[in-house]
Amino acid sequence: MPKNRFDRLAKKIAEEALRSSGTTHVNEEIHPETQYADLSHAPDPARSAERARLGLLGRLAADPCLIEVYSAAPGAEDFRACLAKHLATWQERVRVHRKRNESQPPQPFVDSFLWIIAAGAPKTVLAKLKFEAAPRPEWPAGVYYFGADVLRVGIVVASELPRKDATTLLVRIMAAGPLLAQAVEEVAALPPDAYERVIAEPALLSFQHALGQVSSETSKDEKDFIMAMIKSWEEGRAEARAEGRAEARVETQANAVLTVLRVRDIAVSEADRQRILAQRDPAQLERWLNKVAIVSSVAEVLDDPS
């Protein structure tokens, strides 16, 4: 499937997370034909402690690697394209290594790895190519190998990774798609100084800003993400900042109700909009916010006797 807007979020998360453990290139050009890898990472051997803090993502980046990300299940054509980039990169690294060693003492060479992170399971690819589940408990469920040391290819099926597990959280955010809304809730529940939250927070807020206003081009997964950010993230941040300031809290809640209505394409008259903004009872706004995700009209929210 073609790359979509979740691709930007995956690259931002990985670039920020891996910055302290080695050198990462985004959209790296691959020769001989012009191809681009989502992410190319060269780990610094002296920074293993930094990688360990990244959980599963740090383990994927323990060796030189390409990381390709799909917010759905990649098909056969996607897999062939990834493999072509992998082999081209591998051959180029071998060529550079040999040329460097002509004038310098021999240096150790580590074969690169291809990791494909997919939101959904590519069942046909896994079955036809006889991917094997990575050994446990060394690796979590959802990690598969192909080609042993001859090809060094792995697929991470994010939908099969353990949920509510901080060690897999960054990878699940990168996979995005239908997994992203729940991952947002997990990030928002972390302590402010949790390493995964420090990495993910700026990227999630930046991605929400980049999506901008909801339009006919906004996918269901993107709408779910926006709603999750409002209910689990932005509201919590606003409450923390506005502790003891009830006015700031009710304004945030009122705007959240209007935003969710817009995300769900529910028409709101100017009179209803003003009624929502004028509401100053936090409990009433909370009830509206809980109902707005399941109703089909604004009347069902505002006229509800509860």
Side-chain angles (χ1 to χ4, degrees):
M1 64 174 290
K3 296 291 185 180
N4 60 24
R5 291 188 287 191
F6 286 129
D7 188 47
R8 179 188 312 182
L9 175 63
K11 294 172 184 177
K12 184 66 175 177
I13 287 287
E15 184 181 20
E16 291 301 320
L18 296 172
R19 184 186 305 276
S20 64
S21 66
T23 304
T24 304
H25 299 285
V26 176
N27 291 334
E28 182 177 57
E29 184 174 342
I30 296 175
H31 302 283
E33 296 181 3
T34 301
Q35 303 177 79
Y36 293 90
D38 284 349
L39 295 143
S40 170
H41 182 71
D44 184 336
R47 298 180 181 178
S48 58
E50 285 82 353
R51 280 189 294 279
R53 301 174 69 185
L54 301 175
L56 178 57
L57 179 58
R59 296 194 60 195
L60 301 182
D63 289 336
C65 62
L66 298 185
I67 300 177
E68 294 285 322
V69 187
Y70 291 88
S71 59
E77 184 62 32
D78 298 315
F79 180 79
R80 286 192 290 268
C82 292
L83 190 59
K85 297 176 193 178
H86 175 47
L87 295 177
T89 301
W90 200 338
Q91 291 168 350
E92 178 65 13
R93 290 184 69 247
V94 169
R95 185 190 66 79
V96 171
H97 177 75
R98 288 174 177 170
K99 183 177 181 180
R100 180 182 300 139
N101 285 345
E102 291 176 358
S103 56
Q104 300 176 8
Q107 300 177 6
F109 180 80
V110 178
D111 293 333
S112 61
F113 214 102
L114 166 65
W115 286 109
I116 300 173
I117 297 175
K123 295 181 180 178
T124 300
V125 172
L126 291 174
K128 289 188 174 181
L129 294 181
K130 296 181 173 21
F131 272 81
E132 297 181 356
R136 302 188 188 108
E138 180 184 356
W139 292 91
V143 180
Y144 298 87
Y145 284 151
F146 170 70
D149 288 339
V150 176
L151 289 179
R152 292 173 64 84
V153 176
I155 289 183
V156 180
V157 180
S159 61
E160 298 179 6
L161 292 174
R163 306 292 179 90
K164 297 184 179 179
D165 180 349
T167 66
T168 68
L169 184 53
L170 292 177
V171 172
R172 287 184 285 121
I173 294 174
M174 290 173 62
L179 307 175
L180 188 55
Q182 180 180 331
V184 165
E185 296 176 3
E186 292 181 42
V187 172
L190 292 173
D193 59 348
Y195 194 64
E196 294 82 4
R197 182 165 182 165
V198 171
I199 292 294
E201 178 175 356
L204 290 170
L205 292 172
S206 176
F207 181 57
Q208 183 187 14
H209 178 74
L211 289 179
Q213 296 293 323
V214 174
S215 69
S216 59
E217 296 181 357
T218 306
S219 70
K220 179 183 181 303
D221 291 338
E222 290 167 346
K223 289 182 179 180
D224 289 346
F225 162 73
I226 293 171
M227 292 175 66
M229 288 291 290
I230 292 169
K231 296 193 69 173
S232 302
W233 192 271
E234 289 188 331
E235 186 182 8
R237 283 167 54 84
E239 289 177 359
R241 291 193 302 265
E243 186 176 1
R245 292 182 291 155
E247 187 64 24
R249 181 174 181 233
V250 297
E251 182 180 346
T252 298
Q253 288 179 303
N255 282 317
V257 172
L258 290 171
T259 301
V260 176
L261 286 166
R262 185 173 67 250
V263 167
R264 300 196 62 234
D265 297 323
I266 296 176
V268 180
S269 68
E270 182 59 25
D272 287 338
R273 179 177 177 277
Q274 292 302 325
R275 180 180 171 186
I276 293 169
L277 291 175
Q279 178 59 249
R280 285 296 177 265
D281 181 359
Q284 181 63 66
L285 286 166
E286 184 68 25
R287 287 193 291 271
W288 285 353
L289 189 57
N290 289 333
K291 286 187 66 65
V292 76
I294 58 175
V295 300
S296 57
S297 71
V298 70
E300 294 177 71
V301 177
L302 301 183
D303 296 340
D304 181 38
S306 64

